[in-house]
Amino acid sequence: MPSSKKFSFDSLYAKSTPKGKSGNPPIRGKYDFAVAYPDPNSLPIKELIESLTSGLEEEGRNLAIYPHPQGYEPLREFIATKVFNDRNIKTNHENIILGNGSGEHLYMIAEALLNPGDIVLTEEFVYSGTLAILRRFQAKIIPVKCDEQGMIPEELEKSINKFHQKNKPKFIYTIPTFQNPLGTVTSRKRRIKFLEISKKFNIPILEDDCYADLNFSKTSEPAIYSLDTTESVIYIGSFSKIIAPGMRLGYIIAQSDFINRINAIKSGGGVNEFAAIAIHRYSIKYLKEHIESTNKILTRKRDAMLAALGENFGSKAEWSKPNGGLYIWLKMNTKIDLSSLREESLKSEVGFQPGDLFSPNSDSGKNCARLCFGYNTPEEIYEGIKKLAIILEKNQIL
Ligand SMILES: Cc1ncc(COP(=O)(O)O)c(C=O)c1O
């Protein structure tokens, strides 16, 4: 009889494999300001069904073969046209690779560029998914001071100068439009400055533009990619924020040599063609209109959150007033530790992300919180913020 003792993989893992983590989804509150979910009621289910049906009727038989390694060509062509119209980015389908969400591209870019100990410069608070990937590749992540216009170019240059001689930074990662979590938008002038710095030190920029379409105003700042003349910018975008994260489709745009290297990393027989066909048919017919209506809904939600914060937090906190994206960044007195209240808050069904989760070195931001206004209704947002204020009052914070 073979022994029934459980096999252990402990001595077999690669040195770089991170410690175990439960694959269970996080516990969510009724008032879910923690994660960036879109409005569930405005997901275009009917239109997606129609798009998938017509797409499959037209070319469903092609699912019998593995997709193009860079993903469904008609969708890449659509993306090339979209980024030209919306972001003045001149590219073509050959310079685009589809991926399983833009998160997959962040991973592949990190894999392509990073050796352990390499430096990546980024905003002083930044998307925790990117941080997890950079840590996975053992990057040294250097936070650059920000103000209400995002990363400060002088501070960026100062940081580069500090490390340049001994360990030249590998790339600058920025979310210049409706930054996650700060909600800031970098001005055109600063974007140009970033490119000057990039050129001066020969360091590429990774521009994560996944919130650019969630713009509640009539003005916008140009994509850094569109201002670049040296092909030093890598651009990523996603359908997660404008259709649904469950579609798992994002894209990378870059110069041909870099695209070829990413192609060499990408494995798994291309990208889900089933989703790509649906997104392609849907986008041609409905996406523009859907983004417009999504932005109207999100504007009302943002306003509800701003009003609730004004009524319940008054002068005891500061918060951003973003003109787009999905987040409000709440900042309290530096002595206050909001991260310690996360569990208690969840018990009262209010989810939020404490600011230290977005800190590259986890050493600041405990007095801050990221509040996502995408998921709940304006009424629920109003109730939830009130509940959060009651929890803080109970803990003598408000
Ligand atoms: C700045 C940023 N980049 C990338 C992603 C990853 O998005 P996805 O993989 O769903 O395209 C997110 C998700 O929240 C994000 O906020």
Side-chain angles (χ1 to χ4, degrees):
M1 275 279 279
S3 152
S4 59
K5 187 168 169 249
K6 189 179 158 193
F7 183 81
S8 171
F9 284 88
D10 283 352
S11 60
L12 304 175
Y13 294 114
K15 283 196 192 82
S16 60
T17 303
K19 288 256 173 327
K21 188 177 153 197
S22 152
N24 296 331
I27 300 167
R28 301 180 43 204
K30 172 180 172 194
Y31 307 98
D32 195 350
F33 309 141
V35 186
Y37 301 116
D39 183 306
N41 300 322
S42 54
L43 289 191
I45 313 280
K46 211 168 83 213
E47 293 81 359
L48 283 170
I49 293 171
E50 174 205 307
S51 307
L52 179 62
T53 306
S54 68
L56 290 183
E57 277 167 3
E58 283 160 24
E59 48 184 324
R61 285 172 66 85
N62 292 346
L63 293 178
I65 45 177
Y66 280 99
H68 186 289
Q70 289 181 218
Y72 185 54
E73 193 170 314
L75 183 57
R76 286 187 285 127
E77 280 165 355
F78 171 83
I79 291 165
T81 308
K82 181 183 184 314
V83 294
F84 178 67
N85 293 336
D86 298 346
R87 308 297 285 138
N88 198 25
I89 289 175
K90 296 173 193 73
T91 186
N92 67 69
H93 67 277
E94 287 173 358
N95 288 67
I96 298 175
I97 306 181
L98 304 180
N100 186 20
S102 56
E104 187 185 13
H105 293 117
L106 289 168
Y107 196 94
M108 290 190 294
I109 294 162
E111 189 175 354
L113 293 177
L114 294 176
N115 291 311
D118 279 349
I119 290 178
V120 177
L121 298 140
T122 186
E123 283 104 2
E124 66 180 306
F125 292 103
V126 80
Y127 170 50
S128 49
T130 301
L131 291 179
I133 290 167
L134 295 177
R135 287 176 188 139
R136 166 81 182 82
F137 287 95
Q138 299 174 49
K140 188 173 156 83
I141 314 166
I142 304 295
V144 178
K145 240 181 147 2
C146 297
D147 61 14
E148 52 298 327
Q149 278 184 50
M151 199 148 57
I152 303 170
E154 293 72 26
E155 295 289 333
L156 175 64
E157 190 157 0
K158 223 194 290 171
S159 295
I160 296 176
N161 269 321
K162 187 167 160 199
F163 295 102
H164 192 249
Q165 294 304 331
K166 275 202 243 135
N167 186 7
K168 181 175 143 183
K170 264 293 168 68
F171 62 90
I172 300 159
Y173 171 75
T174 180
I175 310 165
T177 308
F178 308 124
Q179 205 263 6
N180 175 7
L182 299 169
T184 48
V185 177
T186 301
S187 66
R188 179 191 177 95
K189 205 168 146 203
R190 274 199 187 176
R191 291 172 194 242
I192 292 170
K193 193 84 195 130
F194 290 165
L195 284 168
E196 285 166 8
I197 295 170
S198 152
K199 218 185 245 178
K200 179 172 168 188
F201 293 96
N202 216 18
I203 299 172
I205 296 175
L206 171 52
E207 177 177 26
D208 187 343
D209 211 25
C210 69
Y211 296 100
D213 285 313
L214 302 184
N215 185 348
F216 314 155
S217 72
K218 297 220 158 20
T219 58
S220 62
E221 298 297 340
I224 300 176
Y225 192 102
S226 72
L227 303 168
D228 175 32
T229 53
T230 64
E231 300 190 57
S232 67
V233 180
I234 306 162
Y235 182 92
I236 58 170
S238 177
F239 288 94
S240 288
K241 313 298 171 189
I242 51 175
I243 303 183
M247 302 299 290
R248 301 315 297 132
L249 243 153
Y251 50 93
I252 176 175
I253 303 176
Q255 54 149 287
S256 308
D257 291 345
F258 191 75
I259 288 290
N260 290 342
R261 295 300 283 252
I262 294 292
N263 271 335
I265 284 174
K266 185 147 182 49
S267 58
V271 176
N272 186 339
E273 189 109 323
F274 192 72
I277 286 176
I279 289 183
H280 171 250
R281 299 303 193 282
Y282 174 81
S283 297
I284 287 175
K285 205 162 163 194
Y286 297 113
L287 186 59
K288 198 164 183 292
E289 188 185 299
H290 179 63
I291 290 172
E292 279 167 21
S293 81
T294 300
N295 282 336
K296 284 193 189 123
I297 294 167
L298 286 174
T299 305
R300 286 200 293 277
K301 294 182 177 205
R302 181 223 34 204
D303 290 345
M305 192 172 268
L306 288 176
L309 286 167
E311 281 177 33
N312 295 286
F313 284 70
S315 59
K316 303 247 175 73
E318 291 170 21
W319 51 90
S320 60
K321 296 169 187 69
N323 266 326
L326 288 171
Y327 315 103
I328 287 176
W329 182 246
L330 179 81
K331 197 166 162 191
M332 303 198 72
N333 186 304
T334 47
K335 294 198 185 86
I336 289 170
D337 180 2
L338 290 173
S339 69
S340 66
L341 292 179
R342 191 180 178 201
E343 294 298 312
E344 186 181 337
S345 179
L346 259 182
K347 280 188 197 136
S348 299
E349 299 227 78
V350 184
F352 71 88
Q353 300 273 36
D356 54 328
L357 293 184
F358 305 94
S359 161
N361 301 313
S362 312
D363 57 356
S364 59
K366 283 196 167 147
N367 59 319
C368 302
R370 188 192 75 174
L371 302 169
C372 176
F373 52 80
Y375 183 75
N376 290 101
T377 63
E379 295 72 28
E380 286 166 348
I381 289 174
Y382 199 79
E383 274 168 35
I385 294 293
K386 203 165 176 179
K387 270 186 169 255
L388 180 63
I390 292 169
I391 297 159
L392 299 195
E393 266 167 31
K394 257 200 338 216
N395 286 275
Q396 278 134 33
I397 286 177
L398 264 189

